[in-house]
Amino acid sequence: QWFANEFPTVDVLGPQKTTFELVGSANCVISALGVTLQEAEYHGKPSLVIFNYPEDATDFDVLLDASEHPATWINGGFYNDLNAPKLAAAIGDLVNLLPAPTNQLRWGQGWRALFDKIM
């Protein structure tokens, strides 16, 4: 509700059974680390990643290294450090990014590299 109140021109959706179609039809994505980022990578969508924990910054760096589209990711930082002006600035940067072409043939190769680094 906070996002809907702070950003009245943005459509904020509630819980969804699947996000694949939503990510595919979106201009950009705001998410924490998780499966949605695989969908954003698949679709080449510009994405703002907001961390649940400060330590997630390390995972974000690994994501950049493994991504086929590293220029489509924005580090939003730890959610507890965000305020409305910081978030508005990050969203401003996000909407100015261009999507990457969907590359279904190479999708997943970056994720294998990510898992190799983690394991």
Side-chain angles (χ1 to χ4, degrees):
Q1 188 59 46
W2 181 87
F3 284 104
N5 291 339
E6 289 293 320
F7 303 97
T9 60
V10 174
D11 292 329
V12 178
L13 304 176
Q16 302 291 308
K17 290 183 180 182
T18 177
T19 56
F20 187 79
E21 292 82 10
L22 289 172
V23 171
S25 65
N27 293 325
C28 53
V29 173
I30 301 173
S31 183
L33 292 168
V35 174
T36 304
L37 299 187
Q38 292 178 343
E39 296 166 351
E41 173 81 0
Y42 179 87
H43 290 293
K45 299 298 180 171
S47 301
L48 171 63
V49 182
I50 299 172
F51 310 141
N52 291 314
Y53 308 97
E55 301 80 24
D56 289 345
T58 301
D59 293 336
F60 181 81
D61 292 342
V62 174
L63 168 69
L64 286 181
D65 288 342
S67 175
E68 288 293 315
H69 316 294
T72 62
W73 301 101
I74 293 178
N75 179 334
F78 178 46
Y79 81 93
N80 205 33
D81 294 335
L82 284 177
N83 56 35
K86 284 182 184 178
L87 183 59
I91 291 172
D93 292 341
L94 177 65
V95 299
N96 287 319
L97 291 178
L98 296 174
T102 299
N103 186 348
Q104 297 174 3
L105 295 176
R106 291 187 47 83
W107 182 82
Q109 291 183 13
W111 294 102
R112 281 192 271 292
L114 172 65
F115 294 136
D116 288 344
K117 289 181 181 187
I118 293 172
M119 308 296 262

